[in-house]
Amino acid sequence: MTQQGAPQQFTSTLSGRAVVPGWTGLGGDLPDVVEVQLDVDPRDLAREYACLLVEYWATPETLTLQSLLPMRAFIATPEGWCVFVPAQGRVLVRALDPQPNPPVLVSHWLNVDPRTPPGTVVGVSVRLPEPPSPWGQLLNG
């Protein structure tokens, strides 16, 4: 489901997206059957400190892999990013922006069913809430 692109960089043969490094073969003998596509709203690409934190939990007790993708990764790779997981476990996608006050944190769990057919594609669209206006704080404060 992947092919090697630039040095040490794989791309999905299904979507042409860049695969986050390390996100293949997470299930040992279990094949990679689910492509999780990560899409960021274009308005959020200008957020200087924002990033995505993606985690794969093979079991509720076992954090198998964790990766951090800054917004500039999405600007530098217009074809987009994805991760591959086996048909088991959970994927947690968190969007973080520590710059506004208060900081923004949005999260979403994906439960992967063991009966998921190979080649399944799941899209995760990320759109962070607008930061509060400093004028609103002054007017309401």
Side-chain angles (χ1 to χ4, degrees), residues 25-138:
L26 298 179
D29 294 338
L30 297 173
D32 298 328
V33 298
V34 179
E35 178 177 338
V36 180
Q37 298 178 349
L38 306 167
D39 294 311
V40 175
D41 190 283
R43 290 176 282 188
D44 291 323
L45 295 177
R47 292 175 179 260
E48 186 176 359
Y49 299 105
C51 59
L52 293 185
L53 176 62
V54 185
E55 300 175 347
Y56 173 68
W57 293 76
T59 69
E61 300 82 26
T62 309
L63 173 61
T64 304
L65 185 61
Q66 185 178 61
S67 293
L68 192 62
L69 283 93
M71 288 298 141
R72 67 181 175 273
F74 292 90
I75 296 168
T77 310
E79 61 273 10
W81 289 91
C82 67
V83 299
F84 282 93
V85 295
Q88 75 171 37
R90 298 175 89 187
V91 177
L92 175 60
V93 178
R94 295 186 227 200
L96 308 123
D97 187 353
Q99 188 173 30
N101 189 12
V104 177
L105 173 61
V106 181
S107 61
H108 185 72
W109 280 104
L110 302 170
N111 293 309
V112 187
D113 190 307
R115 297 169 292 175
T116 303
T120 297
V121 175
V122 177
V124 175
S125 295
V126 176
R127 180 170 178 234
L128 294 166
E130 294 297 323
S133 165
W135 293 107
Q137 290 176 356
L138 290 174

